Structure formats: C-alpha cells, structure tokens
Amino acid sequence: KRIGGLLKEFKARRKDGIVFPLSLTLTEAPLVGHRLFTALLRNETEQKLAERRLAAQYAIARVLADCTTIQQATPEILRAVGESLGWQVGVLWQVKAGTKILCCVEVWRTSPDRFSEFVTVTQSMSFSKGVGLPGRTWETGKPIRIPDAVQDPNFPRAPMAAQAGLHAAFAFPIRLGDAILGVMEFFSREIQEPEEALLHQMVSVGSQIGQFMQRIETETALRESEEQTRLILDTALDAVVTLDGHGNVIGWNSQAEAMFGWSREEIIGQPVVSTIIPPKYRDAHLQGIQRCLTSEVSQIINKRIELSGLHRDGHEFPLELAITGIR
C-alpha cells in the first residue's frame, strides 16, 4: 500500500454517536529491525460541508432558473437540497390559505421504497405554530437544527422516525419579506451536530424560494387575467382593436376579424394605418396618434367618432369608433 500520502477517506463515529468524515495519512519512520508508522488523522467535516453547501446553492439556483411552475419546482428543490447535502428525506410544508396551520405539500426521499411509514404519517399531519419542527420554525421564523429528532421532546413523529432510522433534522422558513409562506425540513439517518454555516445559508435560500413562489403566483394570476380578458373581448359584439404607442396592432378580437377580414395572426404587429385605415385618411390618423400621446388626448377619449374603415379586400365601409386609453 502507498505510504507517505493520503491512504484513505472514511467516516468515523464519536462516542456520542455523531458521524463525521475522516482522512488518514501514513508516514513511515525507519528504525533498524522495525517498521514504524505515524498516522495523521484529520477531521474533514468543515471542508466536506462547505463543498456540500456550495453544491446545494448551485443546484437550487438551477432549479429556480429552469422551472416555470411551483408544482414543477417543489420536488426539484427538495431533491437538490437533499442530494447535495446528503440527506435522505425532504418535506415542504405550506401555510394553508385562510388558516393558521402548516400542511404537507410535497415529500422527497432518496428511494420510493424507503421510509414509507414515516412519509405516510408526515403527509397526513398538519402543524400549528410552536408544534413539532415545522411549527417551531414557523413560530421563530428562524432555521432550526436537531442533532437527533428521535430524542427531541417536541417532535411528534419521533416513533416513526426511530422506526425509519432517521435522526438528524433541520428546517428553515420560506419567507417573503416578513411573511412566512412555508417551511422546508430535511432528515438524515446519521446523528449530526448543528451546523451554523448551513443554517445561515438556508436563510438566504428560504428568501430565494419565497421570491420565486411570489413571482410564479403573480405570473399565473396575470396569465389567468389576460385569458379572462381575451375571452371577454372575443365574445364582445363589437370589434376591439388594441394599439401600442406606435400605432401597431397588439390586440385583435374575433369581431375585428369578421369586420376587417384580417386574422389575428396576420395583423398582430402590423401598423394599423396601412391595414384598416383608408389611404385618404392615413395622414389624419397619424396626426391623431400623436395627439393621443399628448395632453390633447382628452379631446377624443371616450367620445364616439364616425369615420370609414378599410376591409382587407379593398372596400370601404362606415364605422363608429370609441377610443379608450390604457396604462
């Protein structure tokens, strides 16, 4: 075997049951008639944990960048944290709307067949403030690390954790400003000391996840609002045309298609002046667009104007126009 360099890396166990990474280096000390060796044992805990924390940070950033829905992101975030930090079970608890309880939303585990009873019980439970690890995290608003959850007096799932062989646990709040949206907790089969650097990191991670959840919810609400508006406009009896500040078409309902002969796909992005305005009125229309962008806009807003429109086939027809400003 190789002497004078790193011989082996392995895990060691302290008297109190805590497991930690260890490296062994052997150095030979020549002596006539004997072979003597000096063994250097080094605790690699901090280096390994720093590497894991960095890996977790990168993994979470990738998930938040790649996912477009909360449903898609939740299991990926749990997996990213669990796999990067070497934990076996991860749980997301979310504050149920209109209540004062945390409900289980998602559970991740290293294998679908492992920790089944613990997972089943977890999925069926809910917590109020101060109760259990999720409730304590919610109440304090701070990350919490437990060396051995089986021995913790305020951990209702201790019997199931003991049966599953789960010991170390930590949880951190998902925050949006001062509001706590939920809690994430993780479990390991090894008894571990509280790690302050990890807890500090998870404060930042919790804020990032909270901002992500708010952004996704806002985008979802916006899409639903836009879809509702589109449905209302498409069922309107009048043609509804929306222009940007340059006079280009950005909205076109079904009645506009029927009235002017242009499909939505064909006219979106096109200048309205060269499509549905008769040539003899185009200069006046361009001047009107400029007035709409000035203080004179009040002269035409919400007033009915009679003029002529141009069909795609070239024929002109009378129409009545009402203009509304949108900010």
Side-chain angles (χ1 to χ4, degrees), residues 16-19 87-89 93 118 127 130-138 140 142-158 161-162 165-172 183-196 198-199 202:
D16 60 7
I18 291 178
V19 177
W87 297 73
Q88 282 78 51
V89 178
W93 302 88
F118 180 80
F127 291 99
V131 179
L133 180 56
R136 279 183 282 172
T137 306
W138 184 16
T140 63
K142 299 178 180 179
I144 296 176
R145 181 80 177 261
I146 303 175
D148 189 355
V150 173
Q151 305 299 324
D152 191 89
N154 188 1
F155 190 77
R157 291 167 289 166
L166 296 172
H167 292 279
F170 84 92
F172 61 92
V183 172
M184 277 193 174
E185 65 175 357
F186 293 87
F187 299 91
S188 170
R189 302 195 70 172
E190 299 173 349
I191 300 173
Q192 299 180 16
E193 285 185 304
E195 184 190 345
E196 290 300 322
L198 174 64
L199 299 184
M202 289 303 131

Side-chain angles (χ1 to χ4, degrees), residues 25 29 73 80 111 166 257 275 279 281-282 287 301 308:
T25 303
S111 170
L166 296 172
E257 290 185 344
T275 51
Y281 298 120
R282 288 177 180 173
Q287 294 173 12
I301 290 295
S308 296

